[in-house]
Amino acid sequence: MNYQVAIKNIDTVNEVEGYWSDADFVALLQKFNYPDGATAEKSTLPELLEMAISDYEPNEAAQIVLEYKLGDQLSEGQIEQISNNMLIDKVCEEYPEIHMQGTLFHVNQLLFKAYNGKFPNAKASVVHFSMTPTNGEAQKLTAENILKLLNNGLSDRNLIKRLFENQMSQNIPFPEAEGIVWELDTKDDVNYSLITSENWINKEDITESEFEAVLEEIENEA
């Protein structure tokens, strides 16, 4: 299907509003030995957590938050290694398991804020765009569809295009897309917003703001 694509703007943000729920704050406060989170004013929970976190050594705090968010996917040794690496590198941009990078970003930024900069400051991109079919009705697009359709508007220097050239330009499966795109929202299947790492897509990556693109049916590998 043919699409007319328009990239409207890209916002660069330090955190994704609403990612951490009140329940997350209460659970984390408990893990940081602050038992009264459940009865505290909800508006004070983020600040209380920052104060509770700052009583710990940075790598210890990182281990606690990583265990809370990724304890079912990472071993104790992996968590310890990541918690140390986070103090010197943007692990959320470099970790080889792409599907974990979004969670690592949110953990990193929580710690960055609590420790006032002891952790590297990573950034996310919120991309606002529209994808209008020129010869048919709009249908809900997946992260994989979206990235393939954005291909024509991205610079050849873009990291996604460099690492996944074939997946972006050919009608073959692109399972990594689900990890690259952290959030994808639309109300009408035409106007979209997606959230990803600034490392994957940033303002400098956009070479065309309006362009045509073709979405072919993906051939599943036998």
Side-chain angles (χ1 to χ4, degrees):
M1 185 179 286
N2 296 323
Y3 283 83
Q4 184 66 35
V5 181
I7 301 174
K8 297 172 182 178
N9 67 294
I10 298 180
D11 299 320
T12 304
V13 298
N14 292 312
E15 60 183 322
V16 177
E17 194 172 334
Y19 175 80
W20 298 100
S21 67
D22 291 340
D24 286 326
F25 288 128
V26 171
L28 282 168
L29 281 165
Q30 190 82 30
K31 291 183 179 296
F32 283 98
N33 288 321
Y34 187 93
D36 301 325
T39 56
E41 285 285 332
K42 289 183 178 180
S43 61
T44 66
L45 290 173
E47 187 178 351
L48 287 173
L49 181 58
E50 285 180 29
M51 290 190 293
I53 286 176
S54 63
D55 286 339
Y56 288 71
E57 289 297 317
N59 63 318
E60 291 177 334
Q63 285 186 41
I64 292 170
V65 183
L66 286 167
E67 170 65 32
Y68 174 71
K69 288 301 296 182
L70 291 168
D72 59 338
Q73 299 180 60
L74 295 170
S75 69
E76 190 175 327
Q78 287 173 314
I79 287 174
E80 184 178 356
Q81 183 178 12
I82 292 171
S83 68
N84 290 321
N85 290 345
M86 284 179 73
L87 283 159
I88 52 176
D89 291 318
K90 294 181 183 179
V91 175
C92 57
E93 294 182 358
E94 301 169 359
Y95 200 67
E97 299 290 342
I98 290 173
H99 67 279
M100 293 187 193
Q101 289 184 0
T103 303
L104 288 169
F105 167 83
H106 297 299
V107 170
N108 185 88
Q109 293 310 101
L110 182 73
L111 295 165
F112 170 80
K113 199 171 179 182
Y115 286 101
N116 200 23
K118 284 188 179 178
F119 289 80
N121 185 21
K123 294 181 180 179
S125 293
V126 184
V127 187
H128 304 278
F129 57 95
S130 64
M131 293 184 164
T132 308
T134 57
N135 56 350
E137 289 189 14
Q139 56 186 357
K140 189 177 288 292
L141 298 170
T142 65
E144 181 174 6
N145 299 151
I146 295 287
L147 292 183
K148 287 174 181 283
L149 286 169
L150 287 175
N151 187 58
N152 289 351
L154 297 175
S155 161
D156 289 338
R157 297 188 304 274
N158 171 262
L159 184 61
I160 305 173
K161 290 183 73 165
R162 287 193 283 120
L163 292 181
F164 302 104
E165 180 182 359
N166 291 337
Q167 292 89 333
M168 286 286 280
S169 60
Q170 300 175 24
N171 58 329
I172 59 175
F174 186 9
E176 295 86 357
E178 293 294 332
I180 292 171
V181 176
W182 302 343
E183 293 183 24
L184 180 62
D185 294 306
T186 181
K187 292 180 179 177
D188 57 8
D189 297 339
V190 172
N191 296 287
Y192 288 83
S193 66
L194 72 78
I195 302 176
T196 186
S197 169
E198 184 189 45
N199 195 44
W200 288 121
I201 299 177
N202 58 63
K203 293 176 182 178
E204 287 69 38
D205 285 330
I206 307 303
T207 55
E208 299 286 342
S209 58
E210 294 190 18
F211 52 92
E212 294 182 354
V214 178
L215 183 64
E216 299 181 32
E217 189 169 337
I218 294 168
E219 296 177 359
N220 290 311
E221 295 171 338

